[in-house]
Amino acid sequence: MWIQHTVSDYLYQIVLVSTVFFLGRYYIGWRRWSNVPPGPQPLPFLGNIDYFKSNDQLQTFRKLRKIFGDVFSLRFGGNLFIVFNGYEALKEAFVRNGDIFSDRPKTYIMEQISRGRGISGSSGAFWKETRAFTIRALREFGFGKQSMESKLMEEVDAFLAVIGNTNGEPFDIRNTSYTSVSNVICSLIFGRRFEHGDKTFESVLDLLDQNFKLAGQTGILGIFPILRFLPGDLFGAKRLIKNSGKIRKFFLDQIQCHRANFDETNIHDFTDAFLKEQRKHLGDTSTIFTDNNLTTLIGNVFSAGTETTATGIRWAVLYLLHYRDIQDRLRQEIDQVIGRSRMPSISDKQNMPFFEAFIVEVLRHANIAPLALPHGSACDTMFRGFFIPRGSILVPNLDSILNDPKLFSCPETFCPSRFIDDDGKLTGCDKVTAFSVGRRLCPGESLAKMELFLFLTSLIQNFRLLPEDPTCLPSLQGIVGMTKTPKPFKLRAIKL
């Protein structure tokens, strides 16, 4: 009895101390958060968790914007989320206030995967130095330059060959587009490509695709990290972390191969360039040139350089199945500018305004990354008369730009012609911020647009794209995770 009583008292004290601590932290946070941007009334302790019950978070944000304006806040437990909406608000926050609003908040999943390394999960001086090296090194190997075209066309040829082998039978373009696009990145970071059908490589791409879908449902752990101790894997976090470990092992194998064959006088690719710098900084404990940073950095470049572009190709094909008149008009422009006797070239782009308008409209309407990765505030500051506390989580709502009726009339309608003026020239494309804004802008934007142009022009030049079932077109509703992807669909590619 004495033992039971002692244990009971002990547990009571733990619960009491924990409750007082939690209430105190909540109260301090509440007082500190006075004069923050407006938002819906939070529930005690839980905050605005009810606003994330909706299956369509984008619609929820659109409704909240109408009520509270371009900058509103949401509270979840001890976290303050501030959502920025509209072109002007995002530009003001992440461009003009980029010095303050370019940190990356520390969330449970981000910490498990990146631990403050790479360019996606790091902040401050470490991030700036890592990002500067990454862009500089990739450009040395043609990143975003016209000299990259030969590598791109090698993958376009393989892409067309795989599609040609379907012989007009229904197929899913997902694996083909993923392998082709990721090979472009592999040529930059590893100096090699992988064949279509390579089981090891395809398994890595499948794990990557799974993680982008899982990332959406693991977000709750960033708000209530204690939920990770629940039995099972209710939010998919354990699976995501396990997948990341397998992907990381693949990258480590590539790095070890490079290290075994390293020749400082013959630098082939991004990994070689990093290893060269690493040798210069041996013994420097503050250097960015560590194996852990290299592995994370490769993961950042590989995933960002694969997912958005490959998904963009799939969305483009889906729209071409739905809008046969647009497909015919694009093919007509190809016939006029390129013809059928040669492959497309980047130099053709300037003479093909409708094709470029089509790509821009795909990026706008598909809304591939509707909510960019969250930012963090480096210090307490004021924004438009509101207090933005250090440590708050800042959400750039790109959907609020891409679907803004003030910028794009009838935004729910897919219409490439909206970007063509009366003189047949491109107009208004600068408002399509599909690659984010500010200092965290995706550095691969120029390469992604090159890829989309060359892959899609070559595809339409060589094939007529038809739905698997002409009486039942595939859905245009997307699956929202970290990115917004099409639901699985099949098509038939008829050789012209």
Side-chain angles (χ1 to χ4, degrees), residues 432-489:
V432 179
T433 56
F435 294 88
S436 196
V437 295
R439 298 186 179 186
R440 290 282 183 174
L441 174 75
C442 176
E445 178 177 359
S446 59
L447 176 60
K449 290 181 176 179
M450 287 175 64
E451 291 176 290
L452 288 170
F453 179 80
L454 291 175
F455 276 101
L456 292 172
T457 50
S458 300
L459 181 63
I460 297 173
Q461 182 191 48
N462 286 275
F463 298 97
R464 187 176 303 281
L465 307 179
L466 302 174
E468 178 184 21
D469 180 357
T471 65
C472 183
L473 292 174
S475 173
L476 285 172
Q477 294 296 314
I479 302 170
V480 179
M482 185 177 292
T483 55
K484 182 182 167 196
T485 60
K487 293 180 178 179
F489 69 95

Side-chain angles (χ1 to χ4, degrees), residues 25 33 44 61-62 84 122 125 130 169 178 189 210 246 264 276 289 320 324 327 351 367-368 431 438 460 482 494:
R25 186 170 181 267
W33 290 347
F61 280 5
R62 292 175 192 176
F84 295 82
S122 61
T130 300
E169 294 298 316
Y178 258 77
I189 58 180
Q210 288 180 35
K246 292 179 180 179
E264 190 170 336
K276 182 178 179 179
F289 297 102
L320 293 172
R324 291 284 301 280
Q327 184 180 160
N351 299 315
N367 203 6
I368 297 170
K431 296 294 192 295
I460 297 173
M482 185 177 292
I494 308 303

Side-chain angles (χ1 to χ4, degrees), residues 4 120 130 135 160 225 227 282 346 400 404-405 446 448 457 465-466:
Q4 290 178 351
S120 292
T130 300
I135 294 174
L160 297 177
L227 295 179
L282 290 175
I346 288 296
S400 68
D404 190 342
S446 59
T457 50
L465 307 179
L466 302 174

Side-chain angles (χ1 to χ4, degrees), residues 163-171 491-495:
I163 294 174
N165 288 337
T166 64
N167 297 315
E169 294 298 316
F171 74 103
L491 71 145
R492 294 187 296 122
I494 308 303
K495 181 69 177 172

Side-chain angles (χ1 to χ4, degrees), residues 133 137-138 141 186 188-191 251 254-259 262 267-277 294 298:
F133 167 79
L138 288 174
F141 301 103
C186 286
L188 288 167
I189 58 180
F190 299 137
F251 295 150
Q254 302 302 315
I255 294 170
Q256 289 305 111
C257 183
H258 275 68
R259 183 169 278 126
F262 182 73
I267 303 301
H268 292 94
D269 49 54
F270 177 83
T271 303
D272 278 346
F274 192 99
L275 293 177
K276 182 178 179 179
E277 289 298 320
L294 174 57
I298 286 175

